[in-house]
Amino acid sequence: MQTMQTTPSTDRTESVDSPRPTGTTTRTTPSPRPPSDAPAPLPGPESGPESGPVSGLHLYLLALNPTDAVSEGYLPAAAQLGLDLTLLTDQPEAHRARHPGLTVLHCDVRDHHAVISTISAHRAPDAVFSNSDHLQTVTALAADYFGLPAKDWRATLRAKDKAQMRRALAATGDHHVHSVELAADQDPAALTGVPYPCVLKPREGVASEDVVHIGDEAAFLRHCAEIRARRPGAALVAEEYLPGELGTLETLGDGHRLHIVGGFRTDLSPLPYFIEERLTYVPAHPAPVVAQVLAALDTLGVGFGVCHTEFVVHHGRARIIEVNYRSIGDQGDLILQRLLGIPLFAHVLLVHLGRRLPADLGARTGGAARLDYPVADRAGTLTAAPGPADLTLGDVTLTYRPARAVGERHPLYGTNRDYLGTVRATGPDQSAVDRAVTGFLARQSWEITP
C-alpha cells in the first residue's frame, strides 16, 4: 500500500459567416462587498417584450452523465425560478438516482432529430438548454426548430470542432495557430506539416481527455495509435505548442450585451499531459488581453449564454487554446456564484428563456477564490481518503468534495479523470485563501493500493 501526500503544485504554463449581434460589451461593476454564502437574490426581468414572469414555463435540459454544474447549479436555479423542468438524457438511471422525483426522459441526446421528436411528443417547450460540451449544437438546432432563443449552431460547431475553430480564427490573421487535421481513416505516417513540438488532441474532445504534448514523429505515431484504440473513428488535430501563462475568461451574454464575470489563472500538471491542478480567480485580466480574446469570440460568433474560454499569453499576445461554449464546470461555476454573490445559473437560464441581462449584474468585488484538484499519481484502488467537508477557517469558506469513493479502482488516465476531489475556497484576500487551502491539503492523505 502506498500513501500519496498532496503537495502544492508549482506554476507552469505553456471571414466567418455569422458573428454574434453587436451590442455593448460590459464588465460588471460590482459593489465592494466581501464574499458571503448567503443565497444570491434572483434576477428581476428586464423591461421589454421578452420580460415577464417565468414561473410555470417549461425547460428541457439535455445532459449526458450527471455533473456538479447541473446538479448543484442549474437544477436548483430552475427550481428557484419556478420552472417546470424535464431532463433528457441517454443515462436516465444515473440522474434518477441522484435526483429522485425529477422528470427524466430517455433520449438519444446526441441526435437532434431524436431530441426534437421526444420534445414534440411531450409538453411544448419554452426553452431548450444544455451545459454539455458535446450537446451544444444539438441543443441549438432543437431550440431553433421550436423557434426558441438559442445559440447559433454554426458558432457551437466552431467552438466544439477544434479544426474548424482554427480555420475560422486563422481567417482573421490575428489568432493563427499552426494546426493540421488527421481524418479518422488517414494514415498518420502520411500526414505532413505536423508542427513539432505539438499538442495532439481529439478534434471534438473535451477537457484534457487524450490531450498530449508531442516532441517528435515517433511519439506522434505512437500516441495516434493509442488514442485511436480508445476512440475508434475519431479525427485528431495536431497544433503547435503554445508557451506562456494559461488563463480563462468567463463571459455571459444575451446576444446584445456581454458581461465579463472574471477569469482564472490555471496551473497545469507537468508535460506531456495537461491536467488542470489549480485555478486561481482573476477579477480582471489586462485590458489588451481581454480585447484579443473577445475579438476571437466575435469571430467565432460566440456571445449568447455562458462561455468558458481558455487562452495563453506570451509576450503580451493572447492566443486561444479552446472555447467551451458552456459554463466552466469542475465546480468553477459554483465558486463564481459564491464569490460574486450573483445568481449565475439563473441568469444563464433566463437568457435561454429570452430575457435580457441587466446592465449591472450586481457582482461583489474585493474577494479571492481558488480551486485545487488533488490528482492520483498511480493506478490502483483508493483505500483511504478524506470525506466531504464544509469549513469556515477564519474569514475563508472552504469546501471539499471527493471525486472518487473509497474502494474504487482506476487506471492512471493522464486526464482530469485522475482527480481525487475538489477543494474550493473563497475569502477576503488571496493570501488568506492560499493559506487555508494549503493547510487543508497538508492535513489530508489519499491512500492508493496498486
Side-chain angles (χ1 to χ4, degrees):
M1 181 167 62
Q2 302 180 41
T3 300
M4 187 188 77
Q5 190 73 28
T6 60
T7 56
S9 58
T10 56
D11 290 347
R12 188 194 64 76
T13 59
E14 35 172 31
S15 173
V16 179
D17 41 3
S18 62
R20 66 170 173 81
T22 57
T24 304
T25 300
T26 63
R27 290 178 183 269
T28 53
T29 53
S31 56
R33 294 178 288 137
S36 164
D37 281 333
L42 290 176
E46 286 281 273
S47 61
E50 299 90 356
S51 65
V54 298
S55 180
L57 297 184
H58 200 100
L59 168 69
Y60 285 88
L61 193 154
L62 278 59
L64 297 172
N65 56 294
T67 64
D68 293 330
V70 169
S71 295
E72 299 184 40
Y74 291 108
L75 293 185
Q80 285 182 296
L81 291 169
L83 301 177
D84 293 334
L85 186 143
T86 299
L87 191 143
L88 304 185
T89 180
D90 58 358
Q91 302 177 43
E93 294 310 316
H95 288 274
R96 289 176 183 139
R98 192 161 178 176
H99 301 287
L102 182 66
T103 302
V104 179
L105 299 179
H106 184 272
C107 178
D108 181 4
V109 285
R110 295 179 185 266
D111 179 357
H112 68 277
H113 189 181
V115 170
I116 291 169
S117 295
T118 301
I119 293 175
S120 297
H122 293 81
R123 180 177 165 185
D126 295 295
V128 182
F129 169 77
S130 178
N131 199 54
S132 168
D133 261 317
H134 303 284
L135 304 181
Q136 292 304 314
T137 300
V138 168
T139 302
L141 289 168
D144 186 61
Y145 176 86
F146 291 107
L148 300 172
K151 298 169 183 174
D152 185 336
W153 69 265
R154 290 169 288 258
T156 63
L157 188 148
R158 292 183 203 112
K160 180 61 177 171
D161 184 323
K162 293 170 176 57
Q164 197 67 14
M165 181 193 76
R166 291 300 179 202
R167 283 189 282 266
L169 292 176
T172 69
D174 293 331
H175 286 269
H176 177 73
V177 172
H178 189 173
S179 172
V180 293
E181 183 177 2
L182 181 67
D185 58 352
Q186 189 175 2
D187 180 1
L191 188 66
T192 59
V194 178
Y196 301 112
C198 70
V199 178
L200 181 66
K201 60 180 72 174
R203 185 185 66 190
E204 296 175 71
V206 61
S208 57
E209 295 287 330
D210 284 322
V211 180
V212 61
H213 180 273
I214 302 292
D216 55 37
E217 183 178 14
F220 175 75
L221 296 177
R222 182 175 71 254
H223 282 287
C224 282
E226 292 174 357
I227 295 172
R228 282 177 161 179
R230 290 188 291 268
R231 297 172 177 259
L236 306 178
V237 173
E239 303 176 346
E240 67 173 289
Y241 173 69
L242 301 177
E245 182 176 295
L246 184 62
T248 83
L249 190 71
E250 314 303 323
T251 56
L252 174 63
D254 59 14
H256 302 272
R257 174 184 289 123
L258 186 70
H259 287 284
I260 299 167
V261 295
F264 293 91
R265 185 181 71 250
T266 307
D267 295 337
L268 295 175
S269 62
L271 296 176
Y273 301 112
F274 297 87
I275 306 171
E276 295 177 353
E277 294 186 341
R278 178 182 300 157
L279 296 175
T280 303
Y281 180 70
V282 178
H285 292 291
V289 169
V290 172
Q292 292 172 66
V293 174
L294 292 180
L297 296 182
D298 276 339
T299 296
L300 297 173
V302 170
F304 184 87
V306 67
C307 186
H308 163 63
T309 304
E310 299 177 6
F311 61 91
V312 66
V313 179
H314 189 55
H315 297 313
R317 181 185 181 193
R319 302 172 85 184
I320 300 297
I321 299 293
E322 64 180 33
V323 176
N324 305 122
Y325 209 171
R326 40 85 176 163
S327 62
I328 179 174
D330 287 329
Q331 301 189 28
D333 33 25
L334 299 177
I335 206 171
L336 280 175
Q337 178 163 269
R338 184 167 77 185
L339 175 70
L340 301 177
I342 61 174
L344 177 63
F345 299 97
H347 276 307
V348 175
L349 295 181
L350 287 168
V351 165
H352 286 265
L353 286 160
R355 275 33 178 194
R356 295 282 183 88
L357 289 167
D360 184 353
L361 295 179
R364 292 185 292 247
T365 57
R370 169 173 155 180
L371 298 104
D372 276 58
Y373 305 100
V375 178
D377 61 358
R378 64 186 73 103
T381 300
L382 186 64
T383 52
D390 294 281
L391 306 173
T392 300
L393 305 170
D395 293 329
V396 175
T397 300
L398 184 146
T399 299
Y400 173 74
R401 293 291 181 266
R404 294 183 186 177
V406 171
E408 286 188 22
R409 184 171 185 85
H410 288 268
L412 191 63
Y413 298 104
T415 75
N416 62 5
R417 285 189 288 167
D418 291 324
Y419 287 169
L420 298 170
T422 301
V423 181
R424 63 180 194 262
T426 58
D429 62 81
Q430 197 62 55
S431 61
V433 168
D434 290 343
R435 285 194 302 270
V437 173
T438 301
F440 174 81
L441 288 173
R443 295 188 296 271
Q444 315 305 317
S445 65
W446 290 260
E447 296 179 1
I448 297 176
T449 303

